[in-house]
């Protein structure tokens, strides 16, 4: 076989056979199919798409490109969760311990942030001592003993995705359904959980800009999960504004703690309890949202979170430490009215420029910086009321402030938002 023939085949809109996909993935991981040919193929897939069979072959060959985790030593139905990426997305930090507080084991491997999107690992690493590199044995032991672990993906898991994702990132081929679906599901399948909740983000701050596209991605991933015997449900969630009230690593840990203490914003708390209810259902634990919420109100979920942090070497005193920055700048409302838009992409990029995110993989993060929103879409504001506070370790120029303010959309008529748009199973 020759890669050039397979690129041409895809370029001309034809289907690649199972053998051809296997040959390409194996060759890519072995280094015999070079990056330049793989990027040409990714671009051909971008324009010509893939059939359901091709996506399934791609996914399973990616799974086979590295280790597969065996979680069978942990009793019970193990559930995992994955988000396709968002701004201010601290959901895992709350959801994982909340679900685990119902004795449902959560063994989760998370990723880092890139561009305007944040990553759970970076947030956890803002806690002094928190170890994300954990051996497979210790990972399993921690879930057996504590019921929950959130760690970094081992280097040997889905090697093909590591290479391919880095390549897609620099060749404008990330936002394409066959490649997102195979990337996400190969990691979830290899990570070994019995059941998977997929949070498919939709909107301006997400890869999927429309509900229609997100629905196709969600259904593709659900089908891939089910085909290999994993119970899989996808939830389309709104990413037109940042999740919750903060963007930035330490700031999001603090918001997660507030929610776990029952002091978070009502809408975010409700949203996370709804996701927890679905995740528990995947493990055959049927609870009402009110019952889920009780584990926030009675401190059970917070206790689980603290246990997880301690088990992974995190310092509990540091956990509660406020963000340490040299500049805190309030942004004031320019007029009376209602907040009707807080574009997630713009604020994600703003936070990235403050050091809270990475423009390229090698960028160092400033864990302390970011944004805290005092108002969200749908809230009433009065002129000169603080809408947000910028946490920075540098001077915020007039230009930056104007840019921030310009992105806060205020109107006379309020709008409704809902976090969960649709459930696909
Ligand atoms: N998240 C992933 O893990 N992979 C993608 O391709 C996109 C989002």
């Amino acid at each position: 076989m020759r890669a050039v023939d397979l690129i041409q085949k895809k370029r001309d809109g034809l289907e690649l056979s199972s053998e051809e996909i296997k040959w390409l993935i194996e060759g890519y991981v072995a280094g015999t199919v070079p990056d330049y040919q793989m990027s040409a193929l990714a671009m051909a897939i971008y324009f010509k798409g893939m059939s359901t069979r091709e996506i399934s072959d791609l996914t399973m060959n990616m799974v086979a490109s590295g280790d597969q985790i065996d979680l069978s030593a942990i009793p019970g139905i193990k559930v995992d969760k994955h988000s396709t990426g968002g701004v201010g997305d601290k959901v895992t930090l709350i959801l994982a311990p909340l679900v685990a507080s119902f004795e449902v084991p959560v063994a989760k491997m998370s990723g880092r942030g890139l561009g305007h999107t944040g990553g759970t690992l970076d947030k956890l690493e803002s806690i002094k001592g928190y170890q994300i590199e954990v051996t497979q044995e210790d990972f399993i032991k921690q879930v057996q003993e504590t019921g929950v672990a959130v760690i970094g993906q081992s280097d040997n898991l889905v090697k093909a995705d590591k290479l391919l994702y880095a390549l897609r990132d620099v060749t404008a081929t990330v936002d394409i359904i066959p490649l997102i679906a195979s990337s996400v599901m190969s990691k979830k399948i290899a990570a070994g959980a019995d059941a998977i909740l997929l949070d498919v983000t939709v909107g301006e701050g997400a890869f999927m800009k429309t509900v229609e596209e997100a629905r196709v991605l969600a259904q593709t991933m659900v089908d891939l999960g089910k085909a290999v015997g994993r119970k899989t449900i996808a939830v389309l969630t709104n990413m037109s504004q940042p999740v919750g009230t903060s963007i930035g690593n330490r700031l999001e840990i603090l918001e997660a703690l507030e929610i776990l203490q029952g002091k978070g914003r009502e809408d975010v708390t409700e949203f996370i309890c709804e996701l927890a209810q679905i995740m528990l259902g995947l493990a055959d634990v049927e609870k009402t949202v009110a019952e889920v919420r009780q584990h926030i109100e009675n401190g059970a979920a917070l206790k689980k979170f603290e246990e997880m942090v301690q088990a992974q070497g995190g310092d509990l005193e540091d956990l509660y430490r406020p963000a340490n920055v040299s500049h805190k700048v309030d942004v004031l409302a320019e007029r009376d009215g209602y907040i009707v838009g807080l574009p997630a992409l713009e604020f994600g990029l703003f936070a990235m420029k403050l050091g809270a995110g990475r423009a390229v993989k090698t960028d160092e993060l400033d864990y302390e910086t970011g944004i805290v929103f005092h108002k969200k879409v749908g809230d009433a504001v009065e002129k000169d009321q603080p809408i947000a506070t910028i946490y920075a370790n540098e001077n915020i120029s007039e230009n930056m402030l104007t840019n921030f303010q310009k992105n806060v959309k205020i109107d006379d008529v309020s709008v409704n938002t809902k976090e969960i748009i649709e459930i696909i199973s």
Side-chain angles (χ1 to χ4, degrees):
M1 264 186 240
R2 293 193 320 155
V4 61
D5 299 328
L6 306 185
I7 296 166
Q8 186 175 344
K9 196 171 172 188
K10 184 43 68 187
R11 184 203 69 188
D12 295 343
L14 300 172
E15 254 193 88
L16 297 175
S17 71
S18 302
E19 293 69 38
E20 286 166 343
I21 292 174
K22 184 170 190 291
W23 183 86
L24 280 164
I25 295 300
E26 284 180 357
Y28 186 47
V29 172
T32 51
V33 174
D35 268 354
Y36 56 83
Q37 286 187 308
M38 210 48 170
S39 11
L41 181 72
M43 194 54 90
I45 294 171
Y46 189 94
F47 286 111
K48 300 294 177 177
M50 278 185 135
S51 68
T52 308
R53 202 264 312 140
E54 284 177 298
I55 300 174
S56 166
D57 283 337
L58 178 60
T59 307
M60 294 320 289
N61 279 293
M62 285 170 70
V63 172
S65 71
D67 293 347
Q68 294 179 51
I69 314 275
D70 178 3
L71 298 178
S72 60
I74 304 165
I77 300 176
K78 278 75 67 183
V79 287
D80 196 353
K81 175 252 168 194
H82 190 90
S83 159
T84 54
V87 177
D89 186 349
K90 70 278 300 168
V91 170
T92 293
L93 298 172
I94 305 139
L95 191 58
L98 178 56
V99 168
S101 73
F102 285 88
E103 315 272 302
V104 169
V106 181
K108 167 125 186 68
M109 291 188 177
S110 278
R112 297 195 180 281
L114 191 63
H116 68 282
T117 65
T120 302
L121 288 189
D122 299 321
K123 294 165 206 196
L124 286 167
E125 277 190 324
S126 76
I127 306 164
K128 194 165 134 198
Y130 193 99
Q131 294 302 319
I132 55 116
E133 276 176 36
V134 175
T135 64
Q136 243 187 74
E137 276 165 12
D138 287 346
F139 178 49
I140 290 171
K141 190 160 166 263
Q142 185 179 323
V143 181
Q144 281 168 336
E145 288 171 359
T146 317
V148 56
V150 180
I151 68 163
Q153 194 182 300
S154 87
D155 276 347
N156 285 332
L157 201 87
V158 195
K159 281 189 189 161
D161 183 61
K162 284 220 168 65
L163 297 169
L164 196 51
Y165 196 90
L167 192 71
R168 288 165 58 208
D169 195 40
V170 291
T171 55
T173 49
V174 170
D175 50 341
I176 168 76
I177 290 172
L179 299 184
I180 297 179
S182 52
S183 161
V184 170
M185 290 311 290
S186 58
K187 284 179 289 206
K188 293 295 102 179
I189 293 166
D194 307 298
I196 304 157
L197 173 68
L198 299 165
D199 178 355
V200 180
T201 51
V202 191
E204 190 258 355
F207 289 129
M208 299 293 106
K209 307 293 179 207
T210 67
V211 174
E212 289 72 29
E213 282 178 295
R215 206 177 272 141
V216 177
L217 174 62
Q219 194 66 62
T220 307
M221 295 197 290
V222 167
D223 292 346
L224 284 169
K226 283 185 181 166
V228 289
R230 313 289 168 97
K231 278 189 180 177
T232 311
I233 292 187
V235 181
L236 308 193
T237 64
N238 185 351
M239 193 53 70
S240 56
Q241 65 170 336
V243 180
T245 55
S246 56
I247 309 175
N249 298 289
R250 167 127 301 261
L251 294 171
E252 290 188 49
I253 290 284
L254 293 170
E255 186 188 353
L257 288 170
E258 261 177 30
I259 296 170
L260 286 164
Q261 288 164 328
K263 295 190 271 184
R265 249 184 95 98
E266 173 53 34
D267 47 6
V268 203
T269 308
E270 187 71 9
F271 164 54
I272 293 173
C273 288
E274 284 167 8
L275 290 181
Q277 184 199 29
I278 299 169
M279 218 162 145
L280 288 167
L282 281 168
D284 293 337
V285 175
E286 301 303 333
K287 296 282 169 198
T288 63
V289 174
E291 284 168 333
V292 172
R293 220 182 159 112
Q294 267 174 10
H295 277 216
I296 288 190
E297 276 144 26
N298 68 16
L302 177 64
K303 186 163 168 281
K304 257 304 151 221
F305 183 63
E306 288 183 346
E307 278 171 24
M308 178 183 86
V309 169
Q310 263 185 317
Q312 284 179 240
D315 177 341
L316 278 197
E317 243 174 71
D318 188 71
L319 178 63
Y320 287 90
R321 173 183 60 76
N324 184 9
V325 288
S326 55
H327 295 69
K328 285 188 202 168
V329 180
D330 283 339
V331 184
L332 308 181
E334 286 184 310
R335 50 165 288 194
D336 291 352
Y338 295 92
I339 307 277
V340 294
L342 289 174
L345 174 63
E346 304 303 333
F347 291 112
L349 290 172
F350 191 96
M352 184 188 88
K353 286 181 198 138
L354 297 174
R358 299 181 184 85
V360 291
K361 250 185 172 165
T362 45
D363 280 352
E364 289 244 337
L365 292 183
D366 183 338
Y367 290 128
E368 310 295 311
T369 57
I371 305 165
V372 172
F373 291 94
H374 310 299
K375 299 284 175 189
K376 294 288 305 283
V377 171
D379 292 350
V381 278
E382 285 171 20
K383 187 173 179 337
D384 291 337
Q385 223 183 0
I387 292 168
T389 304
I390 301 169
Y391 284 64
N393 274 322
E394 63 191 41
N395 210 11
I396 300 296
S397 66
E398 273 305 311
N399 204 7
M400 280 178 88
L401 210 51
T402 312
N403 183 27
F404 192 110
Q405 238 154 358
K406 191 180 79 202
N407 281 311
V408 177
K409 315 284 182 220
I410 304 179
D411 208 340
D412 295 332
V413 185
S414 181
V415 289
N416 280 331
T417 56
K418 65 176 180 184
E419 314 295 341
I420 295 186
I421 300 167
E422 200 170 300
I423 297 172
I424 293 187
S425 58

